[in-house]
Amino acid sequence: MKIVSWNVNGIRAVAKKDFFRDFEQLAPDILCLQETKAQDDQVAEALIPISNYHIYSNSADKKGYSGTAILSKIK
């Protein structure tokens, strides 16, 4: 099982860069993201291009701060 932890420092910003290419190359079973800096619905929207993973996210009460997400092949 391959687990990757990645501090993205903003999921929407990293999604505009090479995130999806890098994610595909890493091919993790579980991906843990820190500092998503987005609300749960924004995380889900940013990760739309990713299929075959279950997405779990937890955002901060204050918008634009912290936040985490876990993408897992196993529910």
Side-chain angles (χ1 to χ4, degrees), residues 6-14 17 33-37 66:
W6 189 344
N7 185 321
V8 294
N9 197 25
I11 189 66
R12 292 169 290 178
V14 78
K17 297 181 181 178
L33 301 175
Q34 298 84 43
E35 298 297 326
T36 56
K37 297 184 180 181
S66 60

Side-chain angles (χ1 to χ4, degrees), residues 3-4 11-12 18 26 30 40 54-55 58-59 62 65 67 74:
I3 300 173
V4 174
I11 189 66
R12 292 169 290 178
D18 296 329
L26 289 168
I30 298 173
D40 294 339
H54 301 278
I55 300 171
N58 185 17
S59 58
K62 190 171 181 180
Y65 283 83
I74 301 167

Side-chain angles (χ1 to χ4, degrees), residues 5-53:
S5 180
W6 189 344
N7 185 321
V8 294
N9 197 25
I11 189 66
R12 292 169 290 178
V14 78
K16 294 177 185 175
K17 297 181 181 178
D18 296 329
F19 173 76
F20 297 108
R21 179 184 54 86
D22 294 341
F23 175 78
E24 188 176 310
Q25 287 177 348
L26 289 168
D29 295 304
I30 298 173
L31 175 66
C32 303
L33 301 175
Q34 298 84 43
E35 298 297 326
T36 56
K37 297 184 180 181
Q39 298 304 111
D40 294 339
D41 60 323
Q42 295 170 318
V43 171
E45 184 178 330
L47 298 175
I48 285 174
I50 295 177
S51 59
N52 300 324
Y53 282 83

